Amino acid sequence: MRGLYQHLKRSVGLSGRQAGGQRFVADENGVLLRNRDDILQRWARFFSTVLNTKSPTLNPDIIERLTHRPATRDTQRLGDVAELKEVARATKCFKNWKESGHDSLPAELLKIDDNDPFVLGHLHTILVKVWNGGDIPREWKDATIKVQYKKGDRSNCNNYGGISLLSHVGKVLIKIITNRLSAFCEANILPEEQCGFRPGRSTVDMLAAWGMLYADDADVVLRSAGGLARMMTIIVDVFGESGLTVSEKKTETLLIRAKDKPTTTSQPPPPPPLTIEAAGQKYAQTTESRYLGGLVNEHGDLTREIPFRLKIHLL
């Protein structure tokens, strides 16, 4: 029996442990490929059709508006040379024990600097040269594709998934650009009520907020008065389309103040009144509100909530 296996291995050009690691795949016509070069070419053709999709066509009007948009400090900041602290922030986002790309540089190597930024300093110098030159090295853009079997016929390429391994150094540049664009969109483009793909503002939070609207009362929490007014306008309009109304008398606004830093001077002046108007309604302001059994006040502390829970009434 052993001789039979050895004869089969020699007949297909394999020997030893190579037979266990070789994956024979079929071409587009279903013909099984055994030659290594033919197999690699088949994978190249397969992933070229899967990954190389047509780029979306931008609206010419949008391009024209963006081109003639007046420059601001925020837009100029997008083109500034990357700083060392941005490089450090980008490298800290990488996970350990991840396979590297062409350069074989692990993510752990880029994060070993604690006090003396030796590696980050050299990395920053390289990124500055690339940034100023405008020419990204080919090694940073090329990806090593690893195939991973899912289920079904092992000779069918459609039953495999591809994992693209990129250079970690190239990922640093991508992360810096991503962080800048995200911060710019947060401050200049995205509205207050926009959720999803934003830090701390997931769609799960929004779904939970809308789910509470089916109760007798609900809380709507936003970071700005303008955002709260827009959100309340949307809520009133949506409820109106369904034959429901928002009680103007029972709806109140609460401004939670940021904790002031201790100073030796006099107390800071109180914040201006919070006036919210939405869809013809004007809501009164309160200093504390009870929701689902919990007491929320303008200072965001528990000075009155804890005694209430302990059934101790303050005089």
Side-chain angles (χ1 to χ4, degrees), residues 159-209:
N159 295 328
Y160 290 83
I163 302 176
S164 298
L165 303 178
L166 295 170
S167 167
H168 283 111
V169 179
K171 286 183 179 180
V172 174
L173 180 61
I174 296 174
K175 191 63 178 179
I176 292 174
I177 297 175
T178 302
N179 291 338
R180 289 188 177 185
L181 290 176
S182 298
F184 177 81
C185 293
E186 285 282 342
N188 300 277
I189 297 179
L190 298 179
E192 182 71 22
E193 58 271 13
Q194 174 67 45
C195 290
F197 300 100
R198 298 177 67 182
R201 300 178 63 84
S202 66
T203 53
V204 177
D205 299 332
M206 182 59 71
L207 291 175

Side-chain angles (χ1 to χ4, degrees), residues 233-270:
T233 301
I234 295 174
I235 293 176
V236 173
D237 293 341
V238 171
F239 276 31
E241 294 178 358
S242 303
L244 303 176
T245 59
V246 176
S247 175
E248 181 179 1
K249 182 179 180 180
K250 295 182 179 180
T251 303
E252 297 176 326
T253 61
L254 173 64
L255 175 62
I256 299 180
R257 303 171 55 182
K259 293 185 178 180
D260 300 322
K261 296 181 179 179
T263 59
T264 57
T265 60
S266 59
Q267 293 292 333

Side-chain angles (χ1 to χ4, degrees), residues 288 290 293-297 301-315:
E288 62 181 17
R290 185 167 299 282
L295 185 64
V296 182
N297 60 29
D301 56 34
L302 302 175
T303 54
R304 285 174 50 81
E305 174 64 14
I306 294 178
F308 177 81
R309 293 292 181 95
L310 297 176
K311 304 300 182 181
I312 299 178
H313 300 282
L314 296 179
L315 298 178

Side-chain angles (χ1 to χ4, degrees), residues 25-45:
V25 296
D27 61 9
E28 293 83 350
N29 299 321
V31 178
L32 194 64
L33 303 176
R34 292 183 172 86
N35 183 271
R36 184 176 182 274
D37 294 336
D38 294 338
I39 294 175
L40 292 178
Q41 293 177 7
R42 170 61 181 132
W43 282 119
R45 294 193 303 270

